[in-house]
Amino acid sequence: MAVHVTAAEPAHAEEQLDLESLELQLLLEGIYRRYGFDFREYAHASLKRRVWRRVHAERTGTIAGLLERVLHEPEAMERLLIDLSVNVTSMFRDPTFYGAFRQKVAPLLHTYPFTRIWAAGCSTGEEVYSLAILLQEEGLYDRTRIYATDINETVLDRARNGVFPIEKMQEYTENYIRAGGTRSFSEYYVAKYEGARFDRSLTENVVWAPHNLVQDGPFNTFHVILCRNVMIYFDRALQNRVHTLMYDSLERFGVLALGHKESIRFTGYESKYEELDTAERIFRKAK
Ligand SMILES: C[S@@+](CC[C@H](N)C(=O)[O-])C[C@H]1O[C@@H](n2cnc3c(N)ncnc32)[C@H](O)[C@@H]1O
């Protein structure tokens, strides 16, 4: 007997079964159940773009085809993971942010005998090296420990290595000067054939470790948390949960720094912080 299979009839246009979204949900569920990485609450619009890039690169034709590949080939999962965790970063990214940090956060840090700073979602480390330079110049580095974490171990390896493309140095020098840097930026690195190798002293007080903001809990308390350009990829519910993690991980009067396009509005935590610098998204835990 022949069985006819047809797609479910949508009751309303808005309920139209969106196959692409269904495949994406299945992919994210598959990744979670097979590998434990939970991307299910990342903002779907930008996830879709990145997943399609991998579909084309792997030539699987569909997202469902990609699901089959990543389920059976862990190497394909590693490649997809690199695509899913957008790692774009730079040294002294948003120089005005570092200028504000120098002016408004550094004086606060001088009031503590020792400080712990968490750079969450630090990618390949440019942010951490920038922070270390700033802290050295402010005379704070020797009494600071920076915990630099990311979900992606591949980027952490590059961060530990501390070698960045030499052709970026002009841009980074300009950023450094705009961020209030007063020395010669080239003092901080030596040009080697593989790139610009940054001074080892900059990472003496840095602990690099994998940490997943979605699934891992608090691991210490901090005087400053930088979580810049990470939550922008999360949907609202997930942003709220990560804000709970940030809040719980901050010391009283601790400082939280977000990216320029990120906010604490509508997170439930707006009233628990005061703004240290509105434009630069720097907040101080008030209660
Ligand atoms: C665009 S980069 C931002 C890097 C740096 N903070 C900056 O502002 O230049 C976003 C980083 O967040 C990391 N990331 C994404 N999801 C994460 C998660 N659930 N837990 C920890 N890090 C995550 C990515 O691997 C990526 O390195």
Side-chain angles (χ1 to χ4, degrees):
M1 189 179 67
V3 180
H4 295 284
V5 180
T6 52
E9 203 55 48
H12 305 288
E14 64 270 19
E15 285 177 23
Q16 184 103 26
L17 191 59
D18 175 354
L19 257 191
E20 188 194 27
S21 296
L22 175 61
E23 289 183 58
L24 182 68
Q25 282 169 24
L26 293 173
L27 174 70
L28 301 179
E29 193 62 35
I31 292 172
Y32 177 56
R33 290 171 63 173
R34 173 86 167 84
Y35 297 102
F37 292 113
D38 193 354
F39 289 98
R40 294 174 298 176
E41 290 175 282
Y42 281 45
H44 278 201
S46 78
L47 266 186
K48 265 185 197 163
R49 277 197 302 279
R50 286 175 276 139
V51 163
W52 273 111
R53 204 177 304 149
R54 184 75 355 233
V55 167
H56 295 311
E58 302 278 339
R59 296 171 195 267
T60 60
T62 59
I63 298 178
L66 183 64
L67 168 61
E68 190 192 349
R69 177 152 311 162
V70 300
L71 286 181
H72 295 284
E73 294 178 29
E75 305 77 30
M77 181 62 230
E78 275 171 31
R79 294 191 291 271
L80 177 60
L81 190 59
I82 290 170
D83 287 345
L84 291 187
S85 57
V86 182
N87 301 120
V88 185
T89 185
S90 55
M91 288 193 117
F92 293 96
R93 179 182 195 170
D94 305 322
T96 50
F97 164 75
Y98 287 91
F101 194 99
R102 221 182 254 278
Q103 282 174 9
K104 298 183 178 170
V105 182
L108 297 176
L109 300 187
H110 274 291
T111 65
Y112 298 108
F114 191 82
T115 52
R116 289 178 299 278
I117 300 184
W118 181 14
C122 68
S123 189
T124 37
E126 285 84 337
E127 175 175 69
V128 177
Y129 286 83
S130 310
L131 189 61
I133 288 172
L134 188 155
L135 293 170
Q136 266 195 3
E137 293 183 359
E138 294 298 321
L140 286 161
Y141 188 70
D142 288 342
R143 43 172 155 147
T144 305
R145 175 144 305 154
I146 303 175
Y147 296 80
T149 64
D150 201 282
I151 186 180
N152 182 333
E153 304 236 19
T154 310
V155 294
L156 283 176
D157 282 342
R158 285 172 52 196
R160 276 188 200 100
N161 204 17
V163 177
F164 301 109
I166 199 85
E167 56 276 12
K168 288 276 186 188
M169 290 307 123
Q170 189 177 343
E171 176 195 331
Y172 292 171
T173 303
E174 286 162 18
N175 283 356
Y176 166 75
I177 293 166
R178 286 180 55 213
T182 48
R183 295 197 199 153
S184 163
F185 189 59
S186 59
E187 281 177 28
Y188 293 107
Y189 64 88
V190 283
K192 295 272 184 188
Y193 72 95
E194 76 271 31
R197 171 176 290 285
F198 276 72
D199 202 300
R200 285 278 163 234
S201 70
L202 294 170
T203 47
E204 259 166 21
N205 298 345
V206 178
V207 179
W208 307 98
H211 181 276
N212 186 335
L213 290 165
V214 181
Q215 290 156 283
D216 299 334
F219 60 96
N220 210 330
T221 54
F222 303 93
H223 303 90
V224 178
I225 300 178
L226 260 63
C227 187
R228 306 192 70 233
N229 309 299
V230 181
M231 281 192 260
I232 194 170
Y233 300 105
F234 298 170
D235 73 13
R236 171 116 23 233
L238 180 53
Q239 286 178 18
N240 289 356
R241 288 217 314 278
V242 175
H243 269 290
T244 303
L245 172 65
M246 299 285 137
Y247 183 80
D248 290 346
S249 302
L250 267 181
E251 292 279 343
R252 192 153 180 243
F253 303 126
V255 171
L256 174 67
L258 303 176
H260 276 175
K261 294 189 198 126
E262 293 161 334
S263 159
I264 52 167
R265 288 229 178 109
F266 314 116
T267 60
Y269 286 94
E270 201 174 350
S271 65
K272 297 189 189 285
Y273 290 94
E274 60 185 29
E275 294 186 342
L276 267 190
D277 191 307
T278 311
E280 300 303 334
R281 305 287 199 269
I282 305 178
F283 308 92
R284 191 176 193 198
K285 184 170 174 174
K287 42 178 146 161

